[in-house]
Amino acid sequence: EGSYFESSKMSEEKLLGGLLAPGFDEGPCLSRYQSSLYRKTSPYKPSSYLLSKLRSYEELHKRCGPYTESYNKALKQLGSGQMISSTESECKYVVWISFSGLGNKILTVASAFLYAILTNRVLLVDPGKDMPDLFCEPFPEKSWFLPTNFPLKSKFDLYEQKSPDSYGNMIKNNMLNTSAESLPSFLYFHLVHDYGDHDKLFFCDEDQMLFRKVPWLIMKSDNYFVPSLFLIPSFEQELIRLFPDKSTVFHHLGRYLFHPTNQVWGLITRYYQAYLAKADERIGIQIRVFESGTGPYQHVMDQILACTLQQKVLPEVDNKQQTVVPPSGKPNLKAVLTTCLSSGYSENLRTMYWEQPTVSGDVVGVYQPSHEEFQQTEKQFHNRKAWSEMYLLSLTDVLVTSAWSTFGYVAQGLGGLKPWILYKPENHTAPNPPCGRVMSMEPCFHAPPFYDCKAKTGIDTGKVVPHVRHCEDMSWGLKLI
Ligand code: GDP
């Protein structure tokens, strides 16, 4: 009986409290059921309503996924251009276009998936150059990848703010016939940070109502737009039911959707076992410097030290070297995982803790998996490393991240961690205080709309409801708390 209990507890952990569906073949995606061996059990439990919604989404995906009869039928409608209302399709889709850096991609896929759940649509992901190399299939049986022969695929790269066939521009130019019989079979939504006021109507109820019958909704975004979905009245109640704890949206959806492929899982587990597993405490420091030069910069180094020492994330060193005699017994081992495009900051830290003892007697090891020098989104190993580093950061106990970085948001969300965030330096000067604790582990929506759809005027969308607030690291951004 004990062993039965043990094994059901095991599988409860393995399935992340019911978030993951059982029954996947383990071999092709080891990370799916092995993540619980590396990550502590989350204190945040998904609601049973979310779990039931995920299971019914999986059924929908099975029925409507690529090459199913329903998919083929919906494709035919796409071919015919105009929608024929009498043959309203049984399956409707959200198509996510591959765009921007990897952190942004992860956040936008999660946003698109939540939108799909809210609108009873099927999410199909444009594989782009790297997605299948980085992520396992999250849904049983049918792929989440958009087939490469998808008719509009050649337009994906061309879509931009000025595209005449974006929803925003069609509205702006009065080119959209909104009567139900003549709605088009697809709409393109430009939700990239440079989007205009008409594109932002996506976040209005009235417009959402219009989209309901359109079988194909295609979106390009580089932003975590979930906070603004909470401000759409027709979604609000459902969202609160799905996420009674509103600060757990990305935490749950991220762990549900993003499983590293075996290649990436190898990078993660080898690194973890070699450098992090034996430590008594794991500390992650994500360093993202948005400066034009390469660095390292003294003001950034000073900021990292000021933050981590003031907040006691890292132990003080004894620079008078009085504690030269090592205390007897096994010292407390702290492993610091740094991630950064350059290596200077972690080299400084490592040297500091080698040359001088800590006042506490702790021993500190500093490790950085890569230093890729600059963003190289087209290179396969570059993206694998970026993904494995986000994941490794999410396995730490205490996290420090950099302002404005989606790379850090992904790590904090997956890890269920509330990091210390290093505020953005201005004019080569670190702000004071150098960092602060975030209110919640949710990512920040960097380019939210400031529009009251009903009153048709501008408003501060960070002041409408208590759980959608401005971000710690970007005063105009929005985040869930
Ligand atoms: P953001 O720009 O910080 O919001 O994060 P993104 O992930 O969207 O884009 C930054 C890209 O730069 C990443 O996808 C990586 O390709 C690269 N990059 C930035 N920081 C790091 C890092 O610490 N490690 C690695 N390996 N790559 C990084």
Side-chain angles (χ1 to χ4, degrees), residues 167-168 171-172 189 191 195-208 211 232 449 451 453 456:
Y167 177 69
I171 288 288
K172 190 171 159 188
F189 299 104
L191 303 177
Y195 65 158
D197 289 346
H198 290 86
D199 298 309
K200 293 177 186 170
L201 295 173
F202 175 81
F203 296 103
C204 291
D205 240 342
E206 219 180 299
D207 301 71
Q208 283 297 332
F211 310 153
I232 302 178
Y451 186 63
C453 302
K456 299 197 193 307

Side-chain angles (χ1 to χ4, degrees), residues 96-113:
W96 174 91
I97 296 179
S98 188
F99 181 69
S100 192
L102 185 57
N104 296 79
K105 281 182 184 161
I106 292 174
L107 299 183
T108 55
V109 168
S111 306
F113 178 59

Side-chain angles (χ1 to χ4, degrees), residues 57 93-97 105-119 121-125 191 202 217 219 221 223-226 229 253 257:
Y57 176 83
Y93 300 85
V94 173
V95 175
W96 174 91
I97 296 179
K105 281 182 184 161
I106 292 174
L107 299 183
T108 55
V109 168
S111 306
F113 178 59
L114 181 58
Y115 180 71
I117 289 189
L118 290 170
T119 55
R121 287 170 180 272
V122 174
L123 172 69
L124 293 179
V125 166
L191 303 177
F202 175 81
L217 301 184
M219 54 174 70
S221 179
N223 261 272
Y224 182 72
F225 56 78
V226 169
L229 297 178
L253 295 184
L257 289 172

Side-chain angles (χ1 to χ4, degrees), residues 38 84 129 159 176 227 250 267 275 320 371 374 407-408 444:
Y38 293 85
I84 313 129
K129 290 208 169 61
Y159 281 136
L176 191 68
F250 182 75
L267 294 176
Y275 304 107
K320 295 191 197 73
H371 48 94
F374 55 92
F407 198 97
C444 176

